[in-house]
């Protein structure tokens, strides 16, 4: 119970930190985003309504109210789900824009992450079991290489090879634009087809960390006395590998999750840009390029919250499975 | 991601100088680490001697555009008629420079937040650790993107500072857990009971025994810096007019290198980044094998067919 409260406390603290960072960045950075926004609207010939102006004031501190008042106004808006209005997609609100792009990212990066965790863990077990052999050396060396290579470069090479040279897979986007009115199963197939290359990029780059982490943990557990004893007792190899060694090696490997998920989010973002995939990462870059500060802030907040929540859930599962975590610290 | 947290054998505690020399010799005798060190030193030399080594001025655009590799242009030319090899050689200055700057900033910060609080009381310790965990969990690249959007086409120094300030938390956490483990070791307790001050304990007993971890952390931070800088440049958020490996790829993508089948434009800079990454990973795995004997791959011989 104490562990549970502890984790909730940390979640709340980190959510507060994310919101506060998001609040402070536009106010502490040089140059005024509000000027950029106003200039944008004036050049478009579409002057802002009083409501929108007021919202902008609250978001970016155009008003000369004390910082504390602005802060409470900002948090209050957040709790009512108001992230402001997007400039690029005016008059859509930031929440609507995010609502459209988030499913794409969750589907792509989420699936790819699950695949790489499963595949990496499995291959890590395999490498550890055959440690010292050529298979082990090959697997660890290859993944050491792949995890040192930038995501966007892998993405570029995959598109170049399989999209432009061989024409096996589509080069850009998440689906064919002329797919209105096609039956849902054909649309799904189209989406899957488009997801192969970006998904492969994320899996290739992310798998290495999981594989090497799992292998090293497993090598440690294989050296433990209880494993030696079980072997001496005549426990079968496969059983020894899965239920004795791997079972205890998996949990510590999850501790890197906080770090890993941050990397995956960043990598997925770059991957989306290469493939013009209509997810949250592509949207973030569009926002930056158009000086769409409300959208930018909103997307950062959503990404941060998603990462915090994912981490919270993993920690909870970790605590449920490993009693030592619950008792420690 | 596989930084080991196992301490070196405390029995090997000798004077600082012989230990450092010993560690360097051990690193050199490890084949993986040796290859990594050779690659790294080679690339640093290229960066230092860029003016001598580069065949042309990297921004001169007076050559025939879009030429594939040839003897006059070993890596071909860009759509704007620049020599890609020269860009690559000059670009190593920016990329490696930012990488090392990030390495230094992030390592300093992770020592500050991970090691120093152990001198203070429990409250200080817990609050610093919580702070570290919060920073660790905030997504780095999106934060970097937002920050650089506000900073507008910033120079290399700003970029390095921003990356360094967003990328120290993981190192801080591993260093901290190592300090906590070492503090429970007999030789540290013995030194404390013998009347060593906290600062002396930290500098003479604990830090020397986690040197390998600090070095590994430094390597990771350099790699993090190079990858982040390249990512930012690729997105066009750094200074796209400064030649760096990331900005070459940015221009390649903007100049439709893929569509024009100009593979010589975007493959070399990415390969250069990957080469640095591999070199750092090699050195790191060497350090890992030295400081964690159980990972040595000769650990198990013929065990399976007993």
């Amino acid at each position: 119970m104490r562990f549970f409260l502890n984790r909730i406390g940390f979640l709340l603290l980190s959510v507060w930190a994310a919101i506060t960072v998001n609040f402070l960045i536009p106010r502490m950075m040089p140059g005024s985003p509000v000027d950029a926004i106003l200039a944008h609207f004036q050049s478009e010939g579409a002057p802002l309504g009083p409501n929108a102006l007021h919202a902008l004031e609250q978001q970016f501190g155009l008003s000369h109210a004390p910082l504390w008042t602005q802060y409470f106004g900002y948090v209050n808006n957040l709790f009512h789900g108001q992230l402001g209005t997007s400039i690029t997609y005016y008059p859509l609100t930031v929440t609507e824009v995010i609502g459209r792009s988030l499913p794409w990212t969750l589907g792509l990066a989420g699936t790819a992450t699950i695949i790489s965790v499963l595949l990496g863990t499995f291959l890590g077990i395999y490498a550890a079991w055959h440690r010292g052999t050529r298979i082990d050396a090959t697997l660890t060396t290859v993944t050491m290489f792949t995890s040192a290579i930038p995501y966007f470069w892998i993405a570029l090479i995959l598109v170049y090879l399989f999209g432009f040279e061989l024409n096996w897979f589509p080069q850009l986007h998440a689906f064919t634009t002329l797919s209105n009115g096609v039956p849902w199963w054909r649309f799904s197939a189209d989406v899957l087809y488009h997801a192969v290359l970006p998904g492969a990029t994320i899996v290739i780059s992310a798998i290495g960390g999981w594989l090497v982490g799992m292998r090293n943990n497993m090598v440690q557990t294989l050296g433990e006395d209880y494993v030696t004893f079980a072997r001496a007792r005549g426990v079968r190899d496969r059983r020894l590998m899965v239920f004795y060694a791997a079972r205890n090696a998996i949990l510590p490997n999850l501790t890197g999750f906080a770090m890993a998920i941050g990397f995956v989010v960043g990598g997925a973002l770059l991957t989306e840009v290469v493939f013009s995939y209509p997810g949250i990462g592509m949207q973030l870059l569009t926002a930056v390029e158009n000086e769409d500060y409300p959208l930018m802030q909103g997307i950062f907040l959503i990404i941060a919250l998603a990462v915090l929540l994912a981490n919270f859930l993993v920690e909870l599962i970790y605590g449920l499975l490993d009693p030592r975590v619950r008792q420690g610290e | 991601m596989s930084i080991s947290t196992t301490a070196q054998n405390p029995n090997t505690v000798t004077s600082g100088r012989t230990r450092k020399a010993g560690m360097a010799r051990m690193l050199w005798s490890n084949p993986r680490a040796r290859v990594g060190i050779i690659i790294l030193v080679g690339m640093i030399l290229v960066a230092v001697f860029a003016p001598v080594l580069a065949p042309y001025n990297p921004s001169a655009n007076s050559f025939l555009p879009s030429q594939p590799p040839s003897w006059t242009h070993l890596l071909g030319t860009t759509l704007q008629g620049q020599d890609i090899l020269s860009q690559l050689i000059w670009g190593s200055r920016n990329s490696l420079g930012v990488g090392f700057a990030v390495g230094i900033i992030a390592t300093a910060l992770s020592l500050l937040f991970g090691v120093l609080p152990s001198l203070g009381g429990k409250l200080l310790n817990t609050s610093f650790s919580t702070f570290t965990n919060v920073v660790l969990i905030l997504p780095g690249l999106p934060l970097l993107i937002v920050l650089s959007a506000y900073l507008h086409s910033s120079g290399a120094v700003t970029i390095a500072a921003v990356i360094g300030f967003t990328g120290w938390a993981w190192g801080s956490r591993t260093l901290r857990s190592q300090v906590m483990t070492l503090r429970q070791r007999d030789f540290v307790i013995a030194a404390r009971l013998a009347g060593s001050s906290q600062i002396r304990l930290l500098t003479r007993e604990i830090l020397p025994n986690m040197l390998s971890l600090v070095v590994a952390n430094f390597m990771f931070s350099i790699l993090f810096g190079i990858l982040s800088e390249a990512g930012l440049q690729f997105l066009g958020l750094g200074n796209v007019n400064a030649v760096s490996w990331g900005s070459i790829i940015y221009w390649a993508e903007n100049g439709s290198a893929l569509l024009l089948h100009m593979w010589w434009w975007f493959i070399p800079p990415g390969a250069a980044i990957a080469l640095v990454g591999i070199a750092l990973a090699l050195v790191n795995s060497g350090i890992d094998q030295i400081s964690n004997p159980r990972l040595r791959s000769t650990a198990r011989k013929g065990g399976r067919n007993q």
Side-chain angles (χ1 to χ4, degrees):
Chain A
M1 194 59 207
R2 187 152 166 250
F3 167 78
F4 188 67
L5 287 178
N6 213 327
R7 291 334 298 168
I8 290 200
F10 182 73
L11 176 73
L12 291 179
L13 184 70
S14 44
V15 166
W16 171 77
I19 292 175
T20 309
V21 165
N22 213 16
F23 170 80
L24 285 179
I25 287 176
R27 287 170 178 78
M28 286 171 60
M29 287 292 147
S32 165
V34 183
D35 290 344
I37 295 169
L38 289 180
H40 180 92
F41 275 96
Q42 267 150 15
S43 69
E44 299 266 297
L48 286 171
N51 282 338
L53 252 177
H54 182 67
L56 272 185
E57 279 174 12
Q58 290 222 325
Q59 257 191 313
F60 295 104
L62 181 72
S63 68
H64 298 285
L67 209 59
W68 276 111
T69 330
Q70 291 182 35
Y71 186 60
F72 283 123
Y74 176 79
V75 174
N76 186 36
N77 270 350
L78 277 187
F79 274 106
H80 292 88
Q82 284 169 357
L83 293 171
T85 311
S86 161
I87 296 168
T88 326
Y89 300 95
Y90 190 80
L92 285 187
T93 65
V94 170
T95 324
E96 284 168 325
V97 177
I98 291 176
R100 283 183 189 180
S101 29
L102 196 57
W104 290 108
T105 300
L106 285 180
L108 178 70
T111 318
T113 307
I114 292 170
I115 292 177
S116 51
V117 173
L118 291 180
L119 209 60
T121 307
F122 175 76
L123 288 175
I125 294 173
Y126 190 77
W129 188 250
H130 295 278
R131 68 185 184 279
T133 65
R134 189 172 291 176
I135 304 169
D136 173 33
T138 317
L139 273 177
T140 41
T141 315
V142 167
T143 49
M144 198 170 69
F145 287 177
T146 52
S147 45
I149 299 173
Y151 272 71
F152 60 92
W153 192 59
I154 293 186
L156 281 173
I157 287 181
L158 287 182
V159 193
Y160 181 68
L161 261 178
F162 298 107
F164 285 92
E165 289 290 334
L166 297 168
N167 269 318
W168 287 358
F169 292 100
Q171 298 144 0
L172 293 175
H173 307 303
F175 52 89
T176 319
T177 18
L178 294 171
S179 58
N180 278 338
V182 299
W184 65 268
W185 52 271
R186 286 201 52 186
F187 183 73
S188 315
D190 190 46
V191 168
L192 274 182
Y193 186 44
H194 279 76
V196 172
L197 288 185
T201 306
I202 299 175
V203 171
I204 290 174
S205 321
I207 198 171
W210 296 106
L211 193 155
V212 174
M214 186 63 198
R215 178 202 175 266
N216 289 353
N217 282 335
M218 176 107 169
V219 169
Q220 301 257 12
T221 51
L222 278 173
E224 299 276 348
D225 288 343
Y226 75 90
V227 175
T228 319
F229 181 64
R231 179 176 285 136
R233 244 181 8 169
V235 174
R236 292 242 177 141
D237 268 0
R238 187 163 298 249
R239 194 175 154 74
L240 195 72
M241 177 167 85
V242 179
F243 292 101
Y244 284 73
R247 197 182 139 155
N248 284 316
I250 282 179
L251 279 180
N253 200 23
L254 280 181
T255 40
F257 194 79
M259 174 81 162
I261 195 159
F263 268 138
V264 169
V265 165
L269 215 143
L270 290 166
T271 309
E272 283 181 10
V273 172
V274 173
F275 288 94
S276 295
Y277 206 82
I280 213 109
M282 187 65 206
Q283 214 60 266
L284 179 60
L285 187 68
T286 316
V288 170
E289 282 170 348
N290 293 317
E291 300 194 311
D292 188 346
Y293 291 100
L295 185 56
M296 198 156 59
Q297 300 285 113
I299 289 177
F300 173 72
L301 194 64
I302 290 297
I303 295 177
L305 292 185
V307 170
L308 297 182
L309 203 63
N311 209 56
F312 173 70
L313 291 177
V314 168
E315 295 253 0
L316 275 196
I317 297 171
Y318 196 50
L320 279 179
L321 295 179
D322 189 345
R324 284 170 306 180
V325 178
R326 267 172 283 161
Q327 282 149 12
E329 279 203 305
Chain B
M1 235 169 281
S2 57
I3 301 180
S4 80
T5 44
T6 318
Q8 282 177 319
N9 187 353
N11 296 332
T12 58
V13 174
T14 42
S15 78
R17 180 165 302 171
T18 48
R19 190 205 331 279
K20 267 175 218 158
M23 194 177 143
R25 205 176 308 127
M26 269 173 107
L27 258 186
W28 187 251
S29 66
N30 180 297
R32 284 187 166 190
R34 192 174 356 173
V35 174
I37 292 172
I38 291 172
I39 299 176
L40 272 185
V41 171
M43 299 198 96
I44 292 169
L45 287 179
V46 167
V48 170
F49 293 105
V52 188
L53 291 171
Y56 307 103
N57 179 346
S59 31
N61 49 3
S62 47
F63 308 109
L64 275 181
S66 312
Q67 292 302 301
S70 64
W71 283 114
T72 37
H73 300 285
L74 285 178
L75 290 175
T77 58
T78 68
L79 194 65
Q80 289 83 27
Q82 296 142 319
D83 180 61
I84 291 173
L85 180 64
S86 307
Q87 288 197 322
L88 203 63
I89 292 173
W90 278 95
S92 65
R93 288 190 154 192
N94 242 325
S95 298
L96 292 180
V98 169
F100 275 91
V102 169
I104 291 166
I105 296 173
T107 308
L109 283 174
S110 56
L111 281 171
L112 185 70
F113 284 95
V115 177
L116 219 53
S118 70
L119 290 175
K122 191 166 184 283
L123 185 69
L124 186 79
N125 215 329
T126 336
S127 48
F128 270 71
S129 150
T130 313
F131 177 66
T132 306
N133 284 338
V134 170
V135 176
L136 173 68
I137 203 177
L138 287 177
L141 191 71
L143 183 60
L144 267 182
I145 292 176
V146 171
L147 282 176
S148 35
Y150 282 104
L151 290 171
H152 290 292
S153 62
S154 33
V157 180
T158 327
I159 291 183
V162 173
I163 300 175
F165 276 97
T166 53
W168 53 269
W170 178 256
S172 170
R173 193 155 103 165
T174 42
L175 291 183
R176 176 172 180 272
S177 64
Q178 178 78 334
V179 173
M180 303 302 268
T181 322
L182 282 176
R183 283 175 74 89
Q184 304 299 321
R185 289 300 185 89
D186 289 344
F187 72 97
V188 177
I189 295 175
R192 197 176 68 219
L193 294 180
S196 292
S197 69
Q198 288 281 354
I199 293 177
R200 197 184 152 81
L201 268 186
L202 195 64
T203 52
R204 301 306 289 269
E205 306 293 339
I206 295 179
L207 275 180
N209 275 294
M210 48 193 287
L211 197 65
S212 68
L213 198 63
V214 177
V215 174
N217 183 28
F218 180 58
M219 302 278 169
F220 262 111
S221 306
I222 294 176
L223 180 58
F224 173 77
I226 292 176
L227 288 178
S228 305
E229 193 260 358
L232 278 184
Q233 293 282 14
F234 168 68
L235 294 173
L237 296 175
N239 180 3
V240 289
N241 294 317
V243 184
S244 85
W245 294 335
S247 68
I248 300 177
I249 305 182
Y250 167 80
W251 286 112
E253 229 230 344
N254 267 26
S256 349
L258 294 171
L259 195 65
L260 300 169
H261 299 279
M262 291 169 65
W263 52 267
W264 58 88
W265 197 357
F266 64 90
I267 288 192
I273 299 170
L275 197 61
V276 181
I278 288 163
L280 290 169
L282 284 170
V283 177
N284 247 345
S285 88
I287 295 176
D288 232 16
Q289 284 186 352
I290 291 167
S291 59
N292 191 356
R294 272 189 176 175
L295 291 181
R296 284 176 199 159
S297 41
T298 48
R300 178 172 176 266
K301 271 184 180 148
R304 202 158 61 91
N305 300 319
Q306 274 169 0

